[in-house]
Amino acid sequence: MKRIYSLLALLLLVLSAQAQMADPVHFSSKLNMLQGDEAEIVFSCTIDPGWHVYSTDLGDAGPTEASFHLDKKDGVELVGKLTPRGNVVEKFDEMFGAKLRFFEGKGAFVQKIRFTKPKYAVEGYLEFGACNDEMCMPPTTVEFKQSGDAPAVKAAPEPAEEPAPEAEQTEEAAPADSTVADTAAVAATTNIGESDLWAPVIDELNALEHSGSDTTSMSWWLIFLEGLLGGFLAVLTPCVWPIIPMTVSFFLKRNKDRKKAVREAVTYGLSIVVIYVVLGLAVTLLFGASALNALSTNALFNIFFALLLILFAASFFGAFELTLPSSWSNKIDQKSENTTGLLSIFLMAFTLVLVSFSCTGPIIGFLLVAVSTQGDIVAPTIGMLGFAIALAIPFTLFAMFPSLLKAAPKSGGWMNTVKVVLGFIELAFALKFLSVADLAYGWRLLDRETFLALWIALFGLLGAYLLGWLKFPHDDDQHRTNVPQFFLGLISLAFTVYMIPGLWGAPLKAISAFAPPMYTQDFNLYEGSVEAKYTDYDLGMAAARAEGKPVMVDFTGFGCVNCRKMEAAVWTDQKVQDILNNKYVLISLFVDDKTPLPEPIEVTDVDGQQRKLRTIGDKWSYLQRTKIGANTQPNYVLLDPTTGKPLNGLRSYDENIDEYVEFLNTGLKNYKK
């Protein structure tokens, strides 16, 4: 056991290190000679699962696109532009409102050149951007340098150099854009490495620990709880609840020895768990984590699943009954009667799974699609484990304590109420999936206010149904609203009222993960934002010292989607706004800022390699790597402006507002000490 714990601890350390310094893309470069006097520089890459590398020509408003830059050329000239080669994926991105192109798994970029002299020398670099669903790397470069003998070229007489006219010399000596030059000069005021404020604080950050340290395990717990909730809902449906007393009674009558009957009932429950966990594993093995995540964001799949949820909802409302072919369950049932021992019990559990499909199918389907967005290979299995445990608990519990069966509520109209409520919930989520497709195709049919209006109508009707004002075909005419239904109806109507201000732009943080983004709102009265006063590290630290306030450094990027999500979902909170605007000096450092430095700066990076910093973004990216030991965005670090020491652990993408407020308050407390 000690060895197992040691291995687990080592695995956690490795995963923690990977979360800080991501290295998901591995490039190699080579020069391929072509016919005649041409050749091509080929940059080939392999990409870790879940990550993607953006292609060329994405525009200034999008993420970092791949581009080729020359530092030196002698005896060569570029032919055309950098060209992607391989399987380029094209997908609509909600945040940027445009179709983006990128590589997954592997890809290549090619720059063609032509030789103009018998001897050549070329030196340059490829710049690219890479992201996954939680973070982005800063713009990264791949160096290329080669010289040698070129294929035979026709030597042309070199024209005599003529001195340029005096006016032209004067014009070229001046920068084309003095504003850009001034900005670059300001950004390069500090000699890198000479200031204590640039000193690494990686050890101090590790000692303080990440305030949101175990986000992966927390998300697994959340997935498990979601599965558990889905399983308990399935238990209350007409397909499952009536089977529980029948099955338990069967086991008790089958064996005179009560201990054996209980043991077989427990085995029956464990068989249910095994069947559903195997289903979760099968989904993972068939598709894989990255494929599931890609599928969950695919427009056509979202349309299909939305229509499927609408179909299930209509069935729950009583329009028709959806069942698997009866021959399937009959064959399994006959097989269980003809066998003995553990196999017969397992086959009985499998029969339950098939018979209850019309009620459990929609819940399982939604659970699998929801967890697929985690991009984690174990998420579907954990979700199915929670679902199966909840489904198996009543069988085991009633087998151990048969007297509880007398106190259990009898089958009746209340189970149809559960089905109808599930039907309303499925319709609400069907709109969420349709919204993804609507954004992908740019239909603009489900803008934020339209989506909210439909949800307001749905949950208002749900409240009316629970209070007995609305009836469906399977409802009893004499049915009265009971106390639990009254409170549930009250909650549904209150939730309806809560959503109404969203029609005028209220943030509605409780449903921000489901509603379309705020930019689709046509009419917005909401005001409130957090904006950084400084985008230069040294200037911001100097201002903080003058004001006597701590600093929050926001390592971000123009092309960072999750940075925008954090700003929309977390920074809009009133508590967070107040703290960031009044108690901190906020410095936002854009690692993809392409404003050139006055001249390249040679540095020794954290991996010991020599690199050139050519842009302001390169400079901030280097600061992030060397100071805090991370290279993904978003990343938030709280610093003392006098010493440059951290006031709390790192925090990255996590939309938990309470934890974010605690993260900021802890920094303030430590600063006052």
Side-chain angles (χ1 to χ4, degrees):
M1 288 299 289
K2 289 183 179 179
R3 182 176 296 178
I4 294 174
Y5 289 141
S6 299
L7 289 174
L8 287 174
L10 179 61
L11 179 61
L12 287 173
L13 285 173
V14 171
L15 291 175
S16 176
Q18 289 178 341
Q20 293 300 314
M21 289 298 291
D23 186 22
V25 185
H26 314 280
F27 262 99
S28 62
S29 61
K30 63 179 179 178
L31 184 69
N32 289 339
M33 297 297 180
L34 304 177
Q35 291 182 351
D37 58 354
E38 291 189 344
E40 59 182 16
I41 304 171
V42 181
F43 296 93
S44 302
C45 65
T46 57
I47 309 165
D48 290 353
W51 287 81
H52 51 262
V53 172
Y54 290 107
S55 185
T56 57
D57 299 323
L58 301 181
D60 294 335
T64 302
E65 64 184 19
S67 56
F68 181 72
H69 306 269
L70 273 178
D71 288 335
K72 176 185 177 182
K73 62 173 182 174
D74 184 19
V76 298
E77 63 181 11
L78 299 184
V79 178
K81 295 182 177 181
L82 185 71
T83 306
R85 180 179 292 176
N87 184 24
V88 179
V89 179
E90 186 170 346
K91 188 173 70 173
F92 186 88
D93 189 280
E94 299 177 15
M95 182 61 66
F96 295 109
K99 286 186 177 180
L100 300 180
R101 298 179 301 281
F102 51 85
F103 286 113
E104 291 182 333
K106 61 180 180 179
F109 297 99
V110 178
Q111 175 63 60
K112 189 177 288 187
I113 62 173
R114 180 182 294 115
F115 300 108
T116 58
K117 293 180 182 179
K119 296 279 188 180
Y120 76 91
V122 58
E123 184 177 343
Y125 62 95
L126 170 77
E127 184 180 42
F128 70 93
C131 293
N132 65 9
D133 293 323
E134 294 184 359
M135 61 188 70
C136 290
M137 291 176 61
T140 309
T141 60
V142 182
E143 303 290 337
F144 177 82
K145 183 179 181 181
Q146 190 161 326
S147 60
D149 296 326
V153 295
K154 295 180 180 179
E158 296 185 4
E161 294 185 2
E162 296 182 2
E166 192 171 326
E168 291 182 7
Q169 289 180 348
T170 304
E171 183 179 351
E172 291 177 359
D177 189 337
S178 60
T179 303
V180 172
D182 291 343
T183 304
V186 168
T189 53
T190 299
N191 293 322
I192 290 176
E194 293 183 6
S195 171
D196 290 338
L197 299 177
W198 285 66
V201 292
I202 300 170
D203 293 338
E204 291 91 333
L205 286 169
N206 290 337
L208 285 166
E209 296 182 353
H210 192 316
S211 61
S213 54
D214 198 6
T215 56
T216 301
S217 62
M218 285 299 293
S219 64
W220 286 354
W221 276 111
L222 181 60
I223 291 168
F224 178 79
L225 291 175
E226 288 174 352
L228 207 66
L229 176 61
F232 283 130
L233 286 174
V235 166
L236 300 175
T237 59
C239 313
V240 179
W241 185 262
I243 302 176
I244 295 174
M246 294 168 53
T247 306
V248 173
S249 299
F250 168 78
F251 282 119
L252 293 175
K253 292 176 182 177
R254 176 177 170 175
N255 299 289
K256 294 181 180 179
D257 184 355
R258 186 172 177 276
K259 289 184 178 179
K260 186 177 180 181
V262 171
R263 188 164 59 249
E264 288 192 349
V266 172
T267 305
Y268 182 76
L270 290 175
S271 299
I272 295 173
V273 174
V274 170
I275 291 169
Y276 281 110
V277 168
V278 169
L279 174 62
L281 282 171
V283 169
T284 299
L285 294 174
L286 283 173
F287 296 100
S290 59
L292 275 173
N293 188 52
L295 193 64
S296 69
T297 56
N298 180 274
L300 292 176
F301 175 77
N302 277 276
I303 293 174
F304 167 77
F305 195 75
L307 294 176
L308 191 64
L309 282 180
I310 293 172
L311 184 70
F312 279 124
S315 173
F316 279 178
F317 288 152
F320 46 81
E321 193 73 24
L322 284 175
T323 57
L324 290 173
S326 58
S327 58
W328 293 10
S329 57
N330 290 337
K331 288 180 181 179
I332 299 295
D333 193 31
Q334 291 173 6
K335 190 70 175 176
S336 66
E337 292 177 358
N338 297 331
T339 56
T340 58
L342 294 177
L343 181 60
S344 66
I345 297 174
F346 182 82
L347 291 174
M348 286 179 63
F350 201 74
T351 304
L352 168 70
V353 173
L354 294 177
V355 170
S356 62
F357 169 77
S358 61
C359 293
T360 60
I363 302 172
I364 293 171
F366 176 74
L367 177 64
L368 288 175
V369 172
V371 300
S372 69
T373 59
Q374 300 288 324
D376 195 304
I377 196 168
V378 298
T381 306
I382 291 175
M384 285 295 98
L385 177 64
F387 180 89
I389 288 175
L391 204 62
I393 281 175
F395 292 96
T396 307
L397 191 63
F398 287 130
M400 290 180 175
F401 308 102
S403 59
L404 292 177
L405 281 171
K406 298 178 181 179
K410 305 300 181 183
S411 301
W414 64 270
M415 289 186 299
N416 185 67
T417 302
V418 172
K419 285 183 66 175
V420 172
V421 170
L422 286 174
F424 274 107
I425 294 173
E426 285 174 1
L427 277 182
F429 282 111
L431 289 173
K432 165 60 181 172
F433 292 109
L434 282 177
S435 173
V436 174
D438 179 69
L439 290 166
Y441 287 110
W443 296 332
R444 297 300 299 268
L445 298 176
L446 273 178
D447 285 352
R448 188 172 183 269
E449 59 265 43
T450 307
F451 179 93
L452 290 176
L454 289 170
W455 265 40
I456 289 169
L458 275 175
F459 284 94
L461 289 172
L462 173 59
Y465 172 77
L466 290 169
L467 293 176
W469 304 338
L470 182 67
K471 293 186 181 296
F472 284 90
H474 291 168
D475 289 322
D476 186 358
D477 291 335
Q478 304 300 320
H479 176 70
R480 293 183 178 180
T481 300
N482 54 37
V483 175
Q485 283 183 224
F486 170 78
F487 283 109
L488 288 174
L490 183 64
I491 292 171
S492 182
L493 291 177
F495 181 58
T496 301
V497 175
Y498 163 79
M499 289 189 290
I500 291 175
L503 296 173
W504 292 275
L508 303 183
K509 294 181 179 62
I511 61 169
S512 60
F514 303 100
M518 189 68 77
Y519 70 79
T520 65
Q521 182 100 14
D522 294 327
F523 185 61
N524 190 352
L525 297 179
Y526 178 74
E527 293 182 0
S529 62
V530 175
E531 294 183 6
K533 294 180 180 178
Y534 299 94
T535 56
D536 180 274
Y537 177 68
D538 300 291
L539 293 178
M541 294 292 271
R545 287 194 298 273
E547 296 180 29
K549 293 180 180 179
V551 165
M552 186 176 92
V553 179
D554 163 33
F555 288 102
T556 183
F558 295 116
C560 173
V561 173
N562 284 328
C563 301
R564 305 293 88 77
K565 288 183 179 178
M566 286 293 290
E567 292 159 13
V570 179
W571 287 12
T572 53
D573 180 81
Q574 191 61 47
K575 292 180 181 177
V576 176
Q577 280 186 47
D578 178 65
I579 296 173
L580 288 179
N581 286 331
N582 301 318
K583 299 179 181 180
Y584 277 92
V585 171
L586 176 61
I587 306 173
S588 288
L589 303 180
F590 290 85
V591 298
D592 53 0
D593 189 338
K594 290 184 172 60
T595 304
L597 295 169
E599 59 182 23
I601 303 173
E602 295 240 2
V603 296
T604 302
D605 217 328
V606 289
D607 55 4
Q609 295 185 7
Q610 294 291 321
R611 283 193 171 86
K612 286 184 178 180
L613 308 181
R614 299 177 175 89
T615 66
I616 292 176
D618 290 346
K619 181 180 176 181
W620 304 143
S621 179
Y622 173 76
L623 171 66
Q624 184 185 13
R625 291 193 302 273
T626 56
K627 186 166 183 69
I628 68 172
N631 65 343
T632 56
Q633 295 78 47
N635 246 312
Y636 309 103
V637 59
L638 310 179
L639 298 176
D640 185 310
T642 304
T643 63
K645 299 295 183 181
L647 302 170
N648 201 349
L650 281 178
R651 190 165 185 84
S652 56
Y653 176 69
D654 186 352
E655 295 185 19
N656 189 313
I657 293 174
D658 291 336
E659 289 185 4
Y660 202 85
V661 171
E662 178 64 23
F663 163 73
L664 295 173
N665 284 333
T666 301
L668 290 172
K669 191 183 301 181
N670 291 335
Y671 179 70
K672 291 177 181 177
K673 291 180 182 179

